[in-house]
Amino acid sequence: MLKAFLRQKGFGISRLSTTLKFAPLLPHSLFPFSLKICSTSASDQHSFAVSYLINNCGFSPESALKASKRVRFKTSHKPDSVLTFFRNHGFSDSVIYNIIKREPWLLSCNTNERVLPKFRFLLSKGASTSDIVLIVTKNPRFLQLSFENCIIPAYNLVNRFLLSDEKTIASIIYCPSLLYSNIPALNIKLFVDYGVASCNIFRILRQNPHIICRSDLLKTVQELTNLGFDPSKTHFGVALIAKRSISKSQWNDKIDTYKSWGWSEETVLEAFRRQPNCMLISNDKINRVMRFWVNHLGWSSSYLVKGPGIFGYSLENRVIPRASVVQYLLSKGLRSESASLLTPFFVSEKLFLQKFVECFGEEETSQLLKLYLRKMKDEGQKFGEFF
């Protein structure tokens, strides 16, 4: 079109080539009016988008300029309809603006085609409007994905192990990545290949679904199997959650804390094999239990290697009151010193009273019950003041 125009103006072939070469330097009057219109139109559209993002969505000039490259609208009709759509589905303006800042392309999309089917699907599975708001707020990225090819298969995969729409929705609310990442599918295949029981996958999806969205699970699975954990047993799921719920530095800190009370690293791993959650106990709680057990009761910390579950119990409501009963029984010769020190701490409340309080004569039983109830009431406070 440009060549024909220049021919009409009397330019020869050689002159035409030279003119085109230096076209950027020629006066605008030599060019078709339509070219200037295109340039002006694109500039106006870009300028309008920047202005809209600043005035209607709270963008800064810098962020609006950057985001404007991802939107396409010449008037406010399309973006206004998008904002209205989200408002009609329970999103507050502050939440909408936060979502738009993360996913500005939404302002140019057809919400009835790209977004509404996903909302309707989640609603059909039992999600509430507020649930959907929470899911989108946490990670609006899943709104980009194909409903048929991504969202539905991802949902069905999670539901296959949780066997309940209610539980599936709850896990997705906690970890929206389950809906848009391909990593969960890869990790579930990894689990199946290693013989991880479905009950363990269920446990992970329910307790900490973020774990199944991480890309480095193979190393952890191998570490646990090398420690002797059987993937087909439920204990494996408990161990995997414990291992992946803290960082490497936190893991090492726990080991150092246990070692400060006489345990070796191998001893710590032995305790972990018995009760993986002992590595989730805070360093402060570990020290408080050890301090009471070793310094106050005068018992060896090595006993706790075989019963690390004690670290998870309340000192005030369980460990201290029961320890006082055990101490009394030992002092009166009512319990053999060769008997396990740990058993009284792990039985139920009812069984504890039957076996260690109410099975003696009336006088002893009365004394033990008074001691136990008194410790239940106030020993926690005394212990806190003492330490």
Side-chain angles (χ1 to χ4, degrees), residues 171 174-178 181 183-188 190-191 196 200-218 220-221 224 236-246 277 280:
S171 291
Y174 186 65
C175 180
S177 299
L178 291 172
S181 174
I183 294 177
L186 296 175
N187 281 332
I188 287 176
L190 167 69
F191 288 152
V196 176
N200 287 324
I201 300 175
F202 173 91
R203 182 188 295 272
I204 294 167
L205 287 170
R206 285 292 286 159
Q207 293 187 14
N208 194 343
H210 290 288
I211 291 174
I212 215 165
C213 296
R214 295 174 183 172
S215 59
D216 56 348
L217 273 187
L218 175 60
T220 306
V221 171
L224 294 178
F236 182 89
V238 178
L240 190 143
I241 291 173
K243 192 74 169 67
R244 293 310 302 258
S245 294
I246 57 176
N277 286 337
L280 299 181

mmCIF file of all heavy atoms in Angstrom, residues 171 174-178 181 183-188 190-191 196 200-218 220-221 224 236-246 277 280:
data_model
loop_
_atom_site.group_PDB
_atom_site.id
_atom_site.type_symbol
_atom_site.label_atom_id
_atom_site.label_comp_id
_atom_site.label_asym_id
_atom_site.label_seq_id
_atom_site.Cartn_x
_atom_site.Cartn_y
_atom_site.Cartn_z
ATOM 1 N N SER A 171 -9.569 -29.086 51.906
ATOM 2 C CA SER A 171 -8.146 -29.140 51.572
ATOM 3 C C SER A 171 -7.787 -28.098 50.524
ATOM 4 O O SER A 171 -6.709 -27.490 50.576
ATOM 5 C CB SER A 171 -7.770 -30.540 51.070
ATOM 6 O OG SER A 171 -7.844 -31.485 52.116
ATOM 7 N N TYR A 174 -7.524 -24.721 52.099
ATOM 8 C CA TYR A 174 -6.260 -24.625 52.832
ATOM 9 C C TYR A 174 -5.079 -24.488 51.874
ATOM 10 O O TYR A 174 -4.116 -23.776 52.148
ATOM 11 C CB TYR A 174 -6.098 -25.867 53.708
ATOM 12 C CG TYR A 174 -4.904 -25.841 54.622
ATOM 13 C CD1 TYR A 174 -4.820 -24.910 55.653
ATOM 14 C CD2 TYR A 174 -3.851 -26.740 54.461
ATOM 15 C CE1 TYR A 174 -3.726 -24.884 56.499
ATOM 16 C CE2 TYR A 174 -2.757 -26.726 55.303
ATOM 17 C CZ TYR A 174 -2.695 -25.793 56.322
ATOM 18 O OH TYR A 174 -1.594 -25.769 57.150
ATOM 19 N N CYS A 175 -5.166 -25.149 50.718
ATOM 20 C CA CYS A 175 -4.063 -25.143 49.751
ATOM 21 C C CYS A 175 -4.613 -25.091 48.326
ATOM 22 O O CYS A 175 -4.740 -26.133 47.667
ATOM 23 C CB CYS A 175 -3.191 -26.386 49.960
ATOM 24 S SG CYS A 175 -1.798 -26.510 48.832
ATOM 25 N N PRO A 176 -4.946 -23.898 47.820
ATOM 26 C CA PRO A 176 -5.495 -23.775 46.469
ATOM 27 C C PRO A 176 -4.574 -24.311 45.378
ATOM 28 O O PRO A 176 -5.023 -24.589 44.266
ATOM 29 C CB PRO A 176 -5.699 -22.259 46.315
ATOM 30 C CG PRO A 176 -5.850 -21.746 47.714
ATOM 31 C CD PRO A 176 -4.928 -22.601 48.531
ATOM 32 N N SER A 177 -3.291 -24.462 45.680
ATOM 33 C CA SER A 177 -2.356 -25.006 44.687
ATOM 34 C C SER A 177 -2.776 -26.390 44.209
ATOM 35 O O SER A 177 -2.384 -26.817 43.120
ATOM 36 C CB SER A 177 -0.947 -25.086 45.277
ATOM 37 O OG SER A 177 -0.478 -23.804 45.638
ATOM 38 N N LEU A 178 -3.553 -27.085 45.001
ATOM 39 C CA LEU A 178 -4.037 -28.404 44.596
ATOM 40 C C LEU A 178 -4.820 -28.325 43.299
ATOM 41 O O LEU A 178 -4.899 -29.303 42.548
ATOM 42 C CB LEU A 178 -4.922 -29.002 45.696
ATOM 43 C CG LEU A 178 -4.231 -29.407 47.010
ATOM 44 C CD1 LEU A 178 -5.287 -29.784 48.048
ATOM 45 C CD2 LEU A 178 -3.267 -30.563 46.784
ATOM 46 N N SER A 181 -1.695 -26.649 40.244
ATOM 47 C CA SER A 181 -0.342 -27.159 40.036
ATOM 48 C C SER A 181 -0.371 -28.602 39.545
ATOM 49 O O SER A 181 -1.249 -29.387 39.922
ATOM 50 C CB SER A 181 0.448 -27.081 41.354
ATOM 51 O OG SER A 181 1.704 -27.697 41.220
ATOM 52 N N ILE A 183 2.159 -30.547 40.197
ATOM 53 C CA ILE A 183 3.054 -31.258 41.115
ATOM 54 C C ILE A 183 2.317 -32.300 41.966
ATOM 55 O O ILE A 183 2.839 -33.403 42.183
ATOM 56 C CB ILE A 183 3.820 -30.257 42.008
ATOM 57 C CG1 ILE A 183 4.759 -29.423 41.137
ATOM 58 C CG2 ILE A 183 4.608 -30.971 43.094
ATOM 59 C CD1 ILE A 183 5.515 -28.356 41.886
ATOM 60 N N PRO A 184 1.095 -32.011 42.490
ATOM 61 C CA PRO A 184 0.391 -33.045 43.265
ATOM 62 C C PRO A 184 0.232 -34.357 42.501
ATOM 63 O O PRO A 184 0.423 -35.436 43.072
ATOM 64 C CB PRO A 184 -0.963 -32.393 43.563
ATOM 65 C CG PRO A 184 -0.668 -30.938 43.599
ATOM 66 C CD PRO A 184 0.359 -30.729 42.531
ATOM 67 N N ALA A 185 -0.109 -34.285 41.222
ATOM 68 C CA ALA A 185 -0.274 -35.510 40.432
ATOM 69 C C ALA A 185 1.035 -36.275 40.331
ATOM 70 O O ALA A 185 1.064 -37.515 40.431
ATOM 71 C CB ALA A 185 -0.800 -35.164 39.040
ATOM 72 N N LEU A 186 2.138 -35.545 40.155
ATOM 73 C CA LEU A 186 3.449 -36.189 40.065
ATOM 74 C C LEU A 186 3.836 -36.842 41.385
ATOM 75 O O LEU A 186 4.397 -37.951 41.419
ATOM 76 C CB LEU A 186 4.507 -35.161 39.650
ATOM 77 C CG LEU A 186 4.337 -34.528 38.260
ATOM 78 C CD1 LEU A 186 5.384 -33.446 38.042
ATOM 79 C CD2 LEU A 186 4.434 -35.603 37.180
ATOM 80 N N ASN A 187 3.530 -36.157 42.497
ATOM 81 C CA ASN A 187 3.875 -36.711 43.810
ATOM 82 C C ASN A 187 2.999 -37.906 44.176
ATOM 83 O O ASN A 187 3.467 -38.846 44.817
ATOM 84 C CB ASN A 187 3.762 -35.626 44.881
ATOM 85 C CG ASN A 187 4.965 -34.693 44.888
ATOM 86 O OD1 ASN A 187 6.066 -35.094 44.518
ATOM 87 N ND2 ASN A 187 4.766 -33.462 45.310
ATOM 88 N N ILE A 188 1.751 -37.853 43.788
ATOM 89 C CA ILE A 188 0.880 -39.004 44.052
ATOM 90 C C ILE A 188 1.367 -40.217 43.264
ATOM 91 O O ILE A 188 1.368 -41.346 43.778
ATOM 92 C CB ILE A 188 -0.581 -38.655 43.711
ATOM 93 C CG1 ILE A 188 -1.140 -37.696 44.777
ATOM 94 C CG2 ILE A 188 -1.442 -39.917 43.632
ATOM 95 C CD1 ILE A 188 -2.539 -37.197 44.504
ATOM 96 N N LEU A 190 4.456 -40.723 42.508
ATOM 97 C CA LEU A 190 5.647 -41.120 43.262
ATOM 98 C C LEU A 190 5.267 -41.994 44.455
ATOM 99 O O LEU A 190 5.887 -43.044 44.702
ATOM 100 C CB LEU A 190 6.391 -39.862 43.743
ATOM 101 C CG LEU A 190 7.479 -40.068 44.811
ATOM 102 C CD1 LEU A 190 8.671 -40.803 44.210
ATOM 103 C CD2 LEU A 190 7.927 -38.715 45.381
ATOM 104 N N PHE A 191 4.242 -41.567 45.199
ATOM 105 C CA PHE A 191 3.789 -42.348 46.349
ATOM 106 C C PHE A 191 3.333 -43.745 45.931
ATOM 107 O O PHE A 191 3.675 -44.740 46.573
ATOM 108 C CB PHE A 191 2.637 -41.620 47.057
ATOM 109 C CG PHE A 191 3.060 -40.392 47.822
ATOM 110 C CD1 PHE A 191 2.179 -39.343 48.024
ATOM 111 C CD2 PHE A 191 4.335 -40.279 48.346
ATOM 112 C CE1 PHE A 191 2.556 -38.213 48.730
ATOM 113 C CE2 PHE A 191 4.729 -39.161 49.053
ATOM 114 C CZ PHE A 191 3.839 -38.117 49.240
ATOM 115 N N VAL A 196 3.284 -46.301 48.896
ATOM 116 C CA VAL A 196 2.704 -45.538 50.007
ATOM 117 C C VAL A 196 1.205 -45.819 50.069
ATOM 118 O O VAL A 196 0.493 -45.717 49.067
ATOM 119 C CB VAL A 196 2.956 -44.024 49.822
ATOM 120 C CG1 VAL A 196 2.265 -43.227 50.928
ATOM 121 C CG2 VAL A 196 4.450 -43.740 49.805
ATOM 122 N N ASN A 200 -2.114 -42.930 53.948
ATOM 123 C CA ASN A 200 -1.082 -41.923 54.172
ATOM 124 C C ASN A 200 -1.286 -40.712 53.266
ATOM 125 O O ASN A 200 -1.075 -39.571 53.683
ATOM 126 C CB ASN A 200 0.303 -42.526 53.934
ATOM 127 C CG ASN A 200 0.726 -43.463 55.049
ATOM 128 O OD1 ASN A 200 0.425 -43.234 56.210
ATOM 129 N ND2 ASN A 200 1.403 -44.529 54.687
ATOM 130 N N ILE A 201 -1.691 -40.964 52.021
ATOM 131 C CA ILE A 201 -1.992 -39.856 51.113
ATOM 132 C C ILE A 201 -3.188 -39.072 51.653
ATOM 133 O O ILE A 201 -3.214 -37.841 51.611
ATOM 134 C CB ILE A 201 -2.267 -40.388 49.696
ATOM 135 C CG1 ILE A 201 -1.043 -41.149 49.171
ATOM 136 C CG2 ILE A 201 -2.627 -39.233 48.747
ATOM 137 C CD1 ILE A 201 -1.258 -41.808 47.817
ATOM 138 N N PHE A 202 -4.172 -39.799 52.161
ATOM 139 C CA PHE A 202 -5.333 -39.168 52.801
ATOM 140 C C PHE A 202 -4.871 -38.270 53.952
ATOM 141 O O PHE A 202 -5.302 -37.113 54.062
ATOM 142 C CB PHE A 202 -6.277 -40.251 53.324
ATOM 143 C CG PHE A 202 -7.423 -39.721 54.150
ATOM 144 C CD1 PHE A 202 -8.631 -39.393 53.545
ATOM 145 C CD2 PHE A 202 -7.299 -39.544 55.523
ATOM 146 C CE1 PHE A 202 -9.696 -38.904 54.302
ATOM 147 C CE2 PHE A 202 -8.353 -39.061 56.277
ATOM 148 C CZ PHE A 202 -9.556 -38.745 55.668
ATOM 149 N N ARG A 203 -3.995 -38.791 54.800
ATOM 150 C CA ARG A 203 -3.523 -38.032 55.965
ATOM 151 C C ARG A 203 -2.816 -36.744 55.530
ATOM 152 O O ARG A 203 -3.034 -35.673 56.110
ATOM 153 C CB ARG A 203 -2.566 -38.895 56.798
ATOM 154 C CG ARG A 203 -2.056 -38.208 58.070
ATOM 155 C CD ARG A 203 -0.970 -39.046 58.729
ATOM 156 N NE ARG A 203 -1.488 -40.294 59.205
ATOM 157 C CZ ARG A 203 -2.030 -40.484 60.417
ATOM 158 N NH1 ARG A 203 -2.127 -39.459 61.247
ATOM 159 N NH2 ARG A 203 -2.472 -41.674 60.784
ATOM 160 N N ILE A 204 -1.966 -36.846 54.523
ATOM 161 C CA ILE A 204 -1.223 -35.676 54.051
ATOM 162 C C ILE A 204 -2.170 -34.624 53.480
ATOM 163 O O ILE A 204 -2.055 -33.427 53.775
ATOM 164 C CB ILE A 204 -0.183 -36.095 52.996
ATOM 165 C CG1 ILE A 204 0.885 -36.987 53.638
ATOM 166 C CG2 ILE A 204 0.470 -34.865 52.366
ATOM 167 C CD1 ILE A 204 1.768 -37.690 52.635
ATOM 168 N N LEU A 205 -3.129 -35.065 52.662
ATOM 169 C CA LEU A 205 -4.081 -34.132 52.053
ATOM 170 C C LEU A 205 -4.956 -33.461 53.103
ATOM 171 O O LEU A 205 -5.402 -32.318 52.914
ATOM 172 C CB LEU A 205 -4.956 -34.857 51.032
ATOM 173 C CG LEU A 205 -4.276 -35.241 49.718
ATOM 174 C CD1 LEU A 205 -5.170 -36.159 48.898
ATOM 175 C CD2 LEU A 205 -3.923 -33.990 48.911
ATOM 176 N N ARG A 206 -5.215 -34.140 54.186
ATOM 177 C CA ARG A 206 -6.066 -33.577 55.239
ATOM 178 C C ARG A 206 -5.285 -32.690 56.202
ATOM 179 O O ARG A 206 -5.742 -31.616 56.576
ATOM 180 C CB ARG A 206 -6.733 -34.708 56.032
ATOM 181 C CG ARG A 206 -7.869 -35.378 55.315
ATOM 182 C CD ARG A 206 -9.062 -34.459 55.158
ATOM 183 N NE ARG A 206 -9.771 -34.278 56.408
ATOM 184 C CZ ARG A 206 -10.580 -33.263 56.691
ATOM 185 N NH1 ARG A 206 -10.744 -32.308 55.797
ATOM 186 N NH2 ARG A 206 -11.206 -33.185 57.841
ATOM 187 N N GLN A 207 -4.092 -33.123 56.588
ATOM 188 C CA GLN A 207 -3.360 -32.417 57.633
ATOM 189 C C GLN A 207 -2.456 -31.306 57.096
ATOM 190 O O GLN A 207 -2.364 -30.234 57.701
ATOM 191 C CB GLN A 207 -2.525 -33.401 58.463
ATOM 192 C CG GLN A 207 -3.355 -34.355 59.288
ATOM 193 C CD GLN A 207 -2.503 -35.212 60.219
ATOM 194 O OE1 GLN A 207 -1.326 -34.947 60.450
ATOM 195 N NE2 GLN A 207 -3.094 -36.250 60.756
ATOM 196 N N ASN A 208 -1.781 -31.568 56.004
ATOM 197 C CA ASN A 208 -0.862 -30.562 55.463
ATOM 198 C C ASN A 208 -0.716 -30.736 53.954
ATOM 199 O O ASN A 208 0.311 -31.212 53.459
ATOM 200 C CB ASN A 208 0.514 -30.670 56.134
ATOM 201 C CG ASN A 208 1.384 -29.456 55.872
ATOM 202 O OD1 ASN A 208 1.124 -28.678 54.967
ATOM 203 N ND2 ASN A 208 2.433 -29.301 56.658
ATOM 204 N N PRO A 209 -1.743 -30.355 53.189
ATOM 205 C CA PRO A 209 -1.716 -30.573 51.733
ATOM 206 C C PRO A 209 -0.605 -29.822 51.018
ATOM 207 O O PRO A 209 -0.256 -30.167 49.895
ATOM 208 C CB PRO A 209 -3.105 -30.112 51.283
ATOM 209 C CG PRO A 209 -3.584 -29.200 52.355
ATOM 210 C CD PRO A 209 -3.011 -29.743 53.625
ATOM 211 N N HIS A 210 -0.033 -28.788 51.667
ATOM 212 C CA HIS A 210 1.068 -28.072 51.039
ATOM 213 C C HIS A 210 2.240 -29.012 50.750
ATOM 214 O O HIS A 210 2.987 -28.797 49.792
ATOM 215 C CB HIS A 210 1.548 -26.925 51.936
ATOM 216 C CG HIS A 210 0.573 -25.796 52.032
ATOM 217 N ND1 HIS A 210 0.340 -24.920 50.985
ATOM 218 C CD2 HIS A 210 -0.234 -25.393 53.048
ATOM 219 C CE1 HIS A 210 -0.554 -24.023 51.347
ATOM 220 N NE2 HIS A 210 -0.926 -24.283 52.594
ATOM 221 N N ILE A 211 2.384 -30.052 51.574
ATOM 222 C CA ILE A 211 3.489 -30.991 51.393
ATOM 223 C C ILE A 211 3.422 -31.647 50.030
ATOM 224 O O ILE A 211 4.449 -31.828 49.350
ATOM 225 C CB ILE A 211 3.471 -32.056 52.510
ATOM 226 C CG1 ILE A 211 3.844 -31.412 53.851
ATOM 227 C CG2 ILE A 211 4.415 -33.213 52.191
ATOM 228 C CD1 ILE A 211 3.711 -32.364 55.037
ATOM 229 N N ILE A 212 2.228 -32.017 49.617
ATOM 230 C CA ILE A 212 2.070 -32.758 48.362
ATOM 231 C C ILE A 212 2.243 -31.845 47.146
ATOM 232 O O ILE A 212 2.281 -32.327 46.004
ATOM 233 C CB ILE A 212 0.702 -33.466 48.328
ATOM 234 C CG1 ILE A 212 0.817 -34.805 47.599
ATOM 235 C CG2 ILE A 212 -0.381 -32.608 47.716
ATOM 236 C CD1 ILE A 212 -0.344 -35.728 47.816
ATOM 237 N N CYS A 213 2.372 -30.546 47.385
ATOM 238 C CA CYS A 213 2.592 -29.601 46.293
ATOM 239 C C CYS A 213 4.067 -29.211 46.152
ATOM 240 O O CYS A 213 4.404 -28.305 45.390
ATOM 241 C CB CYS A 213 1.755 -28.339 46.513
ATOM 242 S SG CYS A 213 -0.021 -28.624 46.475
ATOM 243 N N ARG A 214 4.927 -29.890 46.880
ATOM 244 C CA ARG A 214 6.348 -29.571 46.811
ATOM 245 C C ARG A 214 7.063 -30.509 45.845
ATOM 246 O O ARG A 214 6.706 -31.676 45.721
ATOM 247 C CB ARG A 214 6.971 -29.658 48.208
ATOM 248 C CG ARG A 214 6.403 -28.598 49.154
ATOM 249 C CD ARG A 214 6.897 -28.754 50.561
ATOM 250 N NE ARG A 214 6.288 -27.777 51.443
ATOM 251 C CZ ARG A 214 6.411 -27.775 52.765
ATOM 252 N NH1 ARG A 214 7.130 -28.718 53.353
ATOM 253 N NH2 ARG A 214 5.817 -26.859 53.497
ATOM 254 N N SER A 215 8.084 -29.985 45.212
ATOM 255 C CA SER A 215 8.716 -30.708 44.114
ATOM 256 C C SER A 215 9.862 -31.617 44.531
ATOM 257 O O SER A 215 10.434 -32.300 43.693
ATOM 258 C CB SER A 215 9.237 -29.699 43.081
ATOM 259 O OG SER A 215 10.166 -28.810 43.678
ATOM 260 N N ASP A 216 10.203 -31.642 45.811
ATOM 261 C CA ASP A 216 11.368 -32.417 46.242
ATOM 262 C C ASP A 216 11.014 -33.522 47.240
ATOM 263 O O ASP A 216 11.779 -33.822 48.155
ATOM 264 C CB ASP A 216 12.412 -31.483 46.869
ATOM 265 C CG ASP A 216 11.843 -30.657 48.021
ATOM 266 O OD1 ASP A 216 10.605 -30.631 48.182
ATOM 267 O OD2 ASP A 216 12.623 -30.033 48.752
ATOM 268 N N LEU A 217 9.870 -34.141 47.060
ATOM 269 C CA LEU A 217 9.419 -35.163 48.014
ATOM 270 C C LEU A 217 10.193 -36.481 47.891
ATOM 271 O O LEU A 217 10.256 -37.248 48.851
ATOM 272 C CB LEU A 217 7.923 -35.440 47.834
ATOM 273 C CG LEU A 217 6.960 -34.544 48.600
ATOM 274 C CD1 LEU A 217 5.538 -35.048 48.447
ATOM 275 C CD2 LEU A 217 7.327 -34.468 50.070
ATOM 276 N N LEU A 218 10.746 -36.747 46.723
ATOM 277 C CA LEU A 218 11.448 -38.016 46.526
ATOM 278 C C LEU A 218 12.543 -38.207 47.571
ATOM 279 O O LEU A 218 12.687 -39.294 48.139
ATOM 280 C CB LEU A 218 12.048 -38.069 45.115
ATOM 281 C CG LEU A 218 12.922 -39.294 44.799
ATOM 282 C CD1 LEU A 218 12.109 -40.573 44.948
ATOM 283 C CD2 LEU A 218 13.507 -39.182 43.403
ATOM 284 N N THR A 220 12.755 -37.032 50.592
ATOM 285 C CA THR A 220 12.189 -37.325 51.907
ATOM 286 C C THR A 220 11.683 -38.759 51.984
ATOM 287 O O THR A 220 11.878 -39.440 52.994
ATOM 288 C CB THR A 220 11.035 -36.348 52.224
ATOM 289 O OG1 THR A 220 11.499 -35.010 52.090
ATOM 290 C CG2 THR A 220 10.518 -36.568 53.637
ATOM 291 N N VAL A 221 11.021 -39.207 50.933
ATOM 292 C CA VAL A 221 10.533 -40.591 50.899
ATOM 293 C C VAL A 221 11.699 -41.559 51.038
ATOM 294 O O VAL A 221 11.627 -42.544 51.798
ATOM 295 C CB VAL A 221 9.759 -40.855 49.584
ATOM 296 C CG1 VAL A 221 9.436 -42.342 49.443
ATOM 297 C CG2 VAL A 221 8.475 -40.035 49.548
ATOM 298 N N LEU A 224 13.118 -41.555 54.685
ATOM 299 C CA LEU A 224 12.269 -42.272 55.641
ATOM 300 C C LEU A 224 12.363 -43.779 55.450
ATOM 301 O O LEU A 224 12.390 -44.530 56.432
ATOM 302 C CB LEU A 224 10.819 -41.800 55.509
ATOM 303 C CG LEU A 224 10.550 -40.345 55.911
ATOM 304 C CD1 LEU A 224 9.092 -39.992 55.679
ATOM 305 C CD2 LEU A 224 10.927 -40.111 57.365
ATOM 306 N N PHE A 236 4.230 -44.207 58.473
ATOM 307 C CA PHE A 236 5.006 -43.522 57.439
ATOM 308 C C PHE A 236 4.417 -42.134 57.154
ATOM 309 O O PHE A 236 5.157 -41.160 57.002
ATOM 310 C CB PHE A 236 5.025 -44.361 56.153
ATOM 311 C CG PHE A 236 5.832 -43.751 55.048
ATOM 312 C CD1 PHE A 236 7.182 -44.020 54.928
ATOM 313 C CD2 PHE A 236 5.235 -42.922 54.109
ATOM 314 C CE1 PHE A 236 7.939 -43.458 53.902
ATOM 315 C CE2 PHE A 236 5.976 -42.357 53.078
ATOM 316 C CZ PHE A 236 7.336 -42.633 52.974
ATOM 317 N N GLY A 237 3.102 -42.046 57.074
ATOM 318 C CA GLY A 237 2.446 -40.766 56.817
ATOM 319 C C GLY A 237 2.712 -39.765 57.932
ATOM 320 O O GLY A 237 2.953 -38.582 57.681
ATOM 321 N N VAL A 238 2.683 -40.245 59.185
ATOM 322 C CA VAL A 238 2.960 -39.376 60.335
ATOM 323 C C VAL A 238 4.386 -38.849 60.250
ATOM 324 O O VAL A 238 4.647 -37.658 60.470
ATOM 325 C CB VAL A 238 2.754 -40.148 61.654
ATOM 326 C CG1 VAL A 238 3.092 -39.266 62.848
ATOM 327 C CG2 VAL A 238 1.329 -40.666 61.762
ATOM 328 N N ALA A 239 5.321 -39.743 59.903
ATOM 329 C CA ALA A 239 6.729 -39.357 59.822
ATOM 330 C C ALA A 239 6.973 -38.366 58.683
ATOM 331 O O ALA A 239 7.738 -37.406 58.830
ATOM 332 C CB ALA A 239 7.599 -40.602 59.631
ATOM 333 N N LEU A 240 6.329 -38.590 57.541
ATOM 334 C CA LEU A 240 6.542 -37.707 56.405
ATOM 335 C C LEU A 240 6.031 -36.299 56.705
ATOM 336 O O LEU A 240 6.682 -35.308 56.388
ATOM 337 C CB LEU A 240 5.852 -38.276 55.164
ATOM 338 C CG LEU A 240 6.201 -37.568 53.841
ATOM 339 C CD1 LEU A 240 6.293 -38.572 52.702
ATOM 340 C CD2 LEU A 240 5.184 -36.494 53.497
ATOM 341 N N ILE A 241 4.871 -36.223 57.337
ATOM 342 C CA ILE A 241 4.319 -34.906 57.697
ATOM 343 C C ILE A 241 5.242 -34.204 58.685
ATOM 344 O O ILE A 241 5.522 -33.002 58.556
ATOM 345 C CB ILE A 241 2.908 -35.055 58.281
ATOM 346 C CG1 ILE A 241 1.932 -35.504 57.193
ATOM 347 C CG2 ILE A 241 2.431 -33.736 58.903
ATOM 348 C CD1 ILE A 241 0.547 -35.840 57.692
ATOM 349 N N ALA A 242 5.733 -34.953 59.667
ATOM 350 C CA ALA A 242 6.628 -34.362 60.662
ATOM 351 C C ALA A 242 7.920 -33.874 60.018
ATOM 352 O O ALA A 242 8.394 -32.768 60.298
ATOM 353 C CB ALA A 242 6.938 -35.378 61.751
ATOM 354 N N LYS A 243 8.465 -34.696 59.132
ATOM 355 C CA LYS A 243 9.745 -34.357 58.502
ATOM 356 C C LYS A 243 9.619 -33.131 57.607
ATOM 357 O O LYS A 243 10.544 -32.320 57.526
ATOM 358 C CB LYS A 243 10.232 -35.550 57.658
ATOM 359 C CG LYS A 243 11.675 -35.436 57.176
ATOM 360 C CD LYS A 243 12.648 -35.679 58.315
ATOM 361 C CE LYS A 243 14.090 -35.832 57.811
ATOM 362 N NZ LYS A 243 14.633 -34.581 57.237
ATOM 363 N N ARG A 244 8.485 -32.975 56.925
ATOM 364 C CA ARG A 244 8.332 -31.876 55.987
ATOM 365 C C ARG A 244 7.657 -30.652 56.589
ATOM 366 O O ARG A 244 7.461 -29.649 55.902
ATOM 367 C CB ARG A 244 7.538 -32.341 54.764
ATOM 368 C CG ARG A 244 8.262 -33.367 53.898
ATOM 369 C CD ARG A 244 9.680 -32.939 53.539
ATOM 370 N NE ARG A 244 9.713 -31.683 52.844
ATOM 371 C CZ ARG A 244 9.882 -31.554 51.529
ATOM 372 N NH1 ARG A 244 10.041 -32.622 50.786
ATOM 373 N NH2 ARG A 244 9.919 -30.367 50.967
ATOM 374 N N SER A 245 7.298 -30.720 57.860
ATOM 375 C CA SER A 245 6.626 -29.587 58.491
ATOM 376 C C SER A 245 7.596 -28.594 59.109
ATOM 377 O O SER A 245 7.195 -27.514 59.543
ATOM 378 C CB SER A 245 5.641 -30.077 59.561
ATOM 379 O OG SER A 245 4.586 -30.801 58.970
ATOM 380 N N ILE A 246 8.880 -28.951 59.180
ATOM 381 C CA ILE A 246 9.888 -28.044 59.717
ATOM 382 C C ILE A 246 11.062 -27.969 58.748
ATOM 383 O O ILE A 246 11.283 -28.878 57.943
ATOM 384 C CB ILE A 246 10.388 -28.477 61.115
ATOM 385 C CG1 ILE A 246 10.961 -29.896 61.075
ATOM 386 C CG2 ILE A 246 9.275 -28.383 62.138
ATOM 387 C CD1 ILE A 246 11.562 -30.332 62.404
ATOM 388 N N ASN A 277 6.269 -37.228 65.860
ATOM 389 C CA ASN A 277 5.852 -35.884 66.269
ATOM 390 C C ASN A 277 6.730 -35.284 67.359
ATOM 391 O O ASN A 277 6.576 -34.104 67.693
ATOM 392 C CB ASN A 277 4.394 -35.898 66.724
ATOM 393 C CG ASN A 277 3.436 -36.029 65.556
ATOM 394 O OD1 ASN A 277 3.770 -35.699 64.419
ATOM 395 N ND2 ASN A 277 2.241 -36.532 65.811
ATOM 396 N N LEU A 280 8.331 -32.185 66.312
ATOM 397 C CA LEU A 280 7.510 -30.998 66.110
ATOM 398 C C LEU A 280 7.324 -30.207 67.404
ATOM 399 O O LEU A 280 6.734 -29.128 67.403
ATOM 400 C CB LEU A 280 6.139 -31.383 65.545
ATOM 401 C CG LEU A 280 6.137 -32.084 64.185
ATOM 402 C CD1 LEU A 280 4.705 -32.382 63.744
ATOM 403 C CD2 LEU A 280 6.849 -31.248 63.132
#
